[in-house]
Amino acid sequence: MNQKHIDHGKRTWLIASGCASVVGGVAVAVPFVSTFQPSERARAAGAPVEVDISTLKPGEKLTVEWRGKPVWIVKRTPEQLATLPKIDPLLADPKSERKPNELTPAYARNEHRSIKPEILVAVGICPHLGCSPSDRFTPGAQPSLPDDWSGGFLCPCHGSTFDFAGRVYKNKPAPDNLEVPPHTYLSDTRLLIGADKAG
Ligand code: FES
């Protein structure tokens, strides 16, 4: 597991990403890509961040920084998307009804919590105490996860688990789903994080 500490002003968070899982001799590497744009000054001021997602393949995740926070962009596979409705009964807030104005913009209040079904955009900070959850994309039994794990994210600090839409499982320390930040598409392959509309 590649880990990267980022001290950013008053806030410190831990990125635990680029997780390489070895299952049955097959290594599944999830790439970690940091994109630091626009300029340092603009970013510090909270400017929206434009991201090129043209090379993102199904099953991969990009992490970009916006307002000092890691924002994940995950291109979900059809299989990963298909898990979402099945696990609703296991989730604390499957319809994203809690704190909708803080956690889930209106355009993401749907089954996949996203504008385009396959692309998840979420802030990678656990709502419990602020750790950054790790990728656990491979389904099935593995340490710290149930035998029927569908794939998603595991917070290494106190064991909260999230599905492929960033929805938190029931009876976990994290009280809420991961935040979906304001975002919009400038084109099919360019995302703007931090603004609801282009311009
Ligand atoms: S910080 Fe994530 S479970 Fe506690």
Side-chain angles (χ1 to χ4, degrees):
M1 178 185 294
N2 300 321
Q3 291 192 326
K4 184 176 181 182
H5 286 86
I6 295 181
D7 283 311
H8 198 274
K10 295 175 191 161
R11 186 153 203 166
T12 300
W13 38 265
L14 168 70
I15 296 176
S17 186
C19 177
S21 305
V22 179
V23 178
V26 178
V28 180
V30 179
F32 174 85
V33 181
S34 284
T35 304
F36 295 109
Q37 58 176 321
S39 72
E40 188 75 25
R41 237 179 323 162
R43 187 159 50 84
V49 176
E50 193 175 325
V51 188
D52 179 358
I53 60 168
S54 60
T55 59
L56 192 62
K57 297 185 180 63
E60 289 185 345
K61 183 179 91 175
L62 283 172
T63 302
V64 300
E65 186 181 0
W66 171 68
R67 293 191 175 174
K69 304 187 244 187
V71 174
W72 298 339
I73 302 158
V74 182
K75 189 163 189 176
R76 296 170 290 198
T77 64
E79 294 76 20
Q80 291 167 347
L81 277 174
T83 64
L84 299 181
K86 294 180 193 161
I87 57 176
D88 277 8
L90 306 176
L91 305 174
D93 182 18
K95 304 293 182 205
S96 300
E97 292 166 335
R98 295 183 188 168
K99 304 180 193 167
N101 295 332
E102 291 173 46
L103 297 178
T104 315
Y107 45 79
R109 276 177 230 150
N110 50 46
E111 188 175 273
H112 32 82
R113 288 191 90 217
S114 58
I115 298 174
K116 294 188 180 190
E118 69 274 24
I119 304 287
L120 169 70
V121 180
V123 175
I125 294 181
C126 180
H128 182 219
L129 293 177
C131 293
S132 191
S134 306
D135 302 344
R136 288 292 185 275
F137 288 3
T138 305
Q142 52 204 289
S144 305
L145 292 169
D147 289 353
D148 60 351
W149 177 243
S150 297
F153 307 92
L154 167 68
C155 184
C157 293
H158 313 97
S160 292
T161 44
F162 304 86
D163 75 350
F164 276 116
R167 300 178 299 175
V168 67
Y169 278 72
K170 280 179 184 168
N171 304 317
K172 297 292 179 183
D176 290 310
N177 296 335
L178 301 181
E179 175 190 350
V180 175
H183 64 283
T184 190
Y185 285 86
L186 302 175
S187 72
D188 270 357
T189 58
R190 298 197 78 76
L191 252 177
L192 192 65
I193 310 290
D196 291 307
K197 291 180 185 168

